[in-house]
Amino acid sequence: SQTIHQWPATLVQPVGSPLSLECTVEGTSNPNLYWYRQAAGRGLQLLFYSVGIGQISSEVPQNLSASRPQDRQFILSSKKLLLSDSGFYLCAWRGGYRGRTEAFFGQGTRLTVV
Amino acid sequence: GESVGLHLPTLSVQEGDNSIINCAYSNSASDYFIWYKQESGKGPQFIIDIRSNMDKRQGQRVTVLLNKTVKHLSLQIAATQPGDSAVYFCAENKGPNNNDMRFGAGTRLTVKP
């Protein structure tokens, strides 16, 4: 069966520090991968998605970047965190032709920038 | 489009009543829609999906209705239970290859015992 791992679960980082969140998927190949951010009490904002190794689509210009060095690995990074980067970060994967399947989410990383 | 900057609308129902949660989507070319349930501190979980060639799909205690004319999606929950209390999101396939998935603003459902 397929599983998705996302870590860490919580993170407190000072302003200006770097960030690296990792997401890995097991039990499937060539998944579509996604990073979302959710502010407290609000909806999900799509940050990046990837349909293959090295292929990244960025949806919102901001202080973050994403990379997909391996088929089932998706990394969210920042060189210098801002206070506004605080939030709940969710990784998701989906398969199927042209994404016409449901997405499966990791348990999320709660990031607090102080 | 995405309404990530808005506070979530809320719906409060009595246990045992039926709930209807609505969602407006933005892209008339979207061809696949999903409803998710998110409990506090967790990632969203799949509830039910529907393709654009259908206007209704039923699951266990849930029904999704799709009205492509007005770009509207609804989730009906029968005999709502306290365990149904959560935030519910609709999502649509968007983008040139329908590979990106965008979420609506979400609705917080509270079930009163």
Side-chain angles (χ1 to χ4, degrees), chain B residues 69-84:
Chain B
T69 303
V70 295
K71 294 188 287 187
H72 182 268
L73 201 62
S74 69
L75 177 71
Q76 300 177 2
I77 305 174
T80 315
Q81 303 168 0
D84 294 327

Side-chain angles (χ1 to χ4, degrees), chain A residues 29-50:
Chain A
S29 60
N30 197 31
N32 287 353
L33 296 172
Y34 302 82
W35 277 112
Y36 290 88
R37 177 170 62 196
Q38 187 176 30
R42 299 182 190 269
L44 280 75
Q45 179 185 33
L46 178 63
L47 301 176
F48 303 96
Y49 73 94
S50 171

Side-chain angles (χ1 to χ4, degrees), chain A residues 37-110:
Chain A
R37 177 170 62 196
Q38 187 176 30
R42 299 182 190 269
L44 280 75
Q45 179 185 33
L46 178 63
L47 301 176
F48 303 96
Y49 73 94
S50 171
V51 299
I53 296 174
Q55 299 179 61
I56 307 294
S57 294
S58 174
E59 296 304 309
V60 182
Q62 57 200 330
N63 188 38
L64 301 169
S65 63
S67 62
R68 185 171 178 174
Q70 299 181 51
D71 181 43
R72 289 166 288 180
Q73 183 185 28
F74 205 24
I75 298 172
L76 182 69
S77 303
S78 174
K79 292 182 179 178
K80 288 186 178 182
L81 284 168
L82 306 172
L83 286 174
S84 58
D85 291 324
S86 293
F88 191 46
Y89 288 81
L90 288 156
C91 179
W93 77 271
R94 63 198 303 212
Y97 175 66
R98 292 181 64 190
R100 290 196 189 97
T101 59
E102 72 268 31
F104 299 90
F105 285 82
Q107 287 303 297
T109 295
R110 187 162 302 284

Side-chain angles (χ1 to χ4, degrees), chain A residues 9-32:
Chain A
T10 60
L11 190 60
V12 180
Q13 290 284 99
V15 169
S17 64
L19 173 73
S20 180
L21 301 181
E22 188 162 346
C23 173
T24 60
V25 181
E26 296 177 358
T28 187
S29 60
N30 197 31
N32 287 353

